[in-house]
């Protein structure tokens, strides 16, 4: 079972490093109140999209996985949020016109794609002066074999960029971006909100394939934490 299918079956709301507490901290740092049109790519079960809409922003939320979007729409309905535009699509071929958004927001999504291609798409759909806010995994030191190849195969990564490689890709796409401070892969903020546990579809744990996927994740990633960091990349489209 592929990692993204595992997340969708479980209904994981905040699978990125630091969880939703890190999301709130990043948004408080990088966003000001105002009439902003925000595109969240890889919206998953919609927790961040609903949070942004609740803050008064105009939100479009995109995910390629129909099960994720189904769960996201149910979350919005439960929270009484009716004005999010939900779109099924691929971040590498965004189904939007040029210069449509003030902000593109991503959380550990870009790394699962063709990174240069996705960054070019983010740049294309941003208005001049718009910004990309992207929390991503960073390679901190080289992972020994065979663990490195096992991680690449499990997550379907093309590569795990270092912070310098992320900055090169961002600048080649046209963005201006300062070097971010790196967080530990599992910081003190990683604790799970009890409400997120309640949202999980625990019935799928009876599926042996799900159980094997969870154990594989633990073996590959949690055991390799020292080799990873997390960076909050805040990049601007100039011109």
């Amino acid at each position: 079972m592929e990692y993204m299918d595992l997340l969708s079956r479980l209904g994981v709301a905040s699978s990125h490093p630091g969880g939703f507490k890190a999301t709130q901290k990043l948004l408080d740092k990088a966003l000001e109140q105002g009439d902003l049109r925000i595109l969240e790519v890889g919206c998953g079960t919609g927790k961040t999209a609903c949070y942004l809409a609740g803050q008064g922003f105009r939100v479009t939320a995109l995910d390629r996985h129909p099960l994720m979007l189904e769960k996201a729409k149910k979350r919005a309905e439960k929270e009484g949020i009716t004005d999010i535009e939900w779109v099924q699509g691929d971040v590498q071929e965004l189904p939007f016109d040029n210069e449509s958004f003030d902000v593109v927001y991503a959380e550990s999504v870009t790394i699962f794609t063709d990174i240069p291609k996705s960054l070019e798409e983010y740049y294309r759909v941003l208005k001049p002066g718009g910004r990309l806010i992207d929390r991503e995994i960073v390679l901190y030191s080289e992972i020994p074999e065979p663990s490195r190849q096992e991680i690449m195969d499990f997550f379907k990564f093309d590569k795990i960029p270092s912070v310098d490689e992320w900055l090169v890709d961002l600048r080649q796409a046209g963005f201006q971006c300062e070097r971010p401070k790196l967080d530990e892969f599992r910081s003190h903020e990683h604790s799970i909100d009890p409400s997120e546990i309640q949202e999980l579809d625990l019935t799928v744990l009876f599926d042996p394939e799900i159980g094997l996927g969870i154990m594989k994740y633990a073996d590959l990633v949690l055991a390799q934490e020292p080799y990873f960091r997390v960076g909050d990349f805040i990049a601007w489209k100039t011109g």
Side-chain angles (χ1 to χ4, degrees):
M1 174 174 290
E2 292 191 5
Y3 176 66
M4 288 301 181
D5 291 329
L6 177 66
L7 293 184
S8 65
R9 290 281 303 279
L10 284 168
V12 177
S14 300
S15 61
H16 52 277
F20 192 65
K21 288 183 180 179
T23 297
Q24 291 174 303
K25 183 178 178 180
L26 175 56
L27 291 173
D28 288 345
K29 174 177 67 175
L31 276 184
E32 75 284 351
Q33 289 297 319
D35 184 26
L36 298 177
R37 188 178 181 201
I38 298 176
L39 169 64
E40 185 189 8
V41 296
C43 67
T45 64
K47 186 163 187 172
T48 299
C50 288
Y51 177 79
L52 288 167
Q55 299 296 306
F57 298 111
R58 292 178 291 150
V59 179
T60 298
L62 175 140
D63 203 285
R64 71 178 179 84
H65 207 298
L67 183 56
M68 285 292 202
L69 285 174
E70 180 184 334
K71 293 183 178 186
K73 291 175 183 178
K74 288 180 179 178
R75 177 192 294 278
E77 183 179 358
K78 183 178 180 180
E79 295 185 15
I81 295 172
T82 59
D83 53 356
I84 297 175
E85 179 187 14
W86 303 103
V87 178
Q88 184 176 350
D90 187 341
V91 301
Q92 299 168 136
E93 297 180 9
L94 293 172
F96 307 110
D97 293 336
N98 295 350
E99 301 182 1
S100 294
F101 299 95
D102 301 291
V103 176
V104 172
Y105 187 75
E107 294 177 300
S108 297
V109 169
T110 312
I111 195 170
F112 291 94
T113 69
D114 180 327
I115 294 172
K117 190 172 183 179
S118 295
L119 293 177
E120 289 174 2
E121 278 293 273
Y122 301 163
Y123 190 89
R124 179 183 66 79
V125 301
L126 279 169
K127 299 175 184 178
R131 83 203 81 160
L132 167 66
I133 305 171
D134 195 352
R135 182 171 175 82
E136 291 291 346
I137 296 171
V138 170
L139 184 65
Y140 186 67
S141 61
E142 289 300 319
I143 307 167
E145 298 291 358
S147 296
R148 188 197 71 83
Q149 192 58 51
E150 289 176 349
I151 288 172
M152 301 296 284
D153 292 342
F154 181 72
F155 291 101
K156 309 299 183 187
F157 290 151
D158 288 334
K159 66 177 181 178
I160 307 173
S162 67
V163 65
D164 290 325
E165 289 172 325
W166 274 112
L167 290 171
V168 166
D169 285 342
L170 283 161
R171 289 164 183 163
Q172 287 183 343
F175 287 103
Q176 288 189 355
C177 184
E178 295 184 359
R179 189 181 188 90
K181 177 184 175 183
L182 300 182
D183 297 333
E184 296 290 331
F185 184 68
R186 293 181 78 207
S187 71
H188 65 280
E189 300 168 328
H190 82 278
S191 56
I192 298 176
D193 187 324
S195 66
E196 293 183 8
I197 296 176
Q198 295 173 5
E199 293 170 1
L200 293 176
D201 183 1
L202 298 180
T203 62
V204 302
L205 295 178
F206 293 105
D207 183 338
E209 193 175 9
I210 296 290
L212 289 172
I214 294 171
M215 287 190 290
K216 184 72 170 177
Y217 173 86
D219 287 343
L220 288 179
V221 177
L222 303 184
Q224 307 300 330
E225 285 177 11
Y227 302 102
F228 299 115
R229 293 293 185 271
V230 184
D232 291 339
F233 295 90
I234 303 173
W236 296 83
K237 177 176 181 175
T238 58

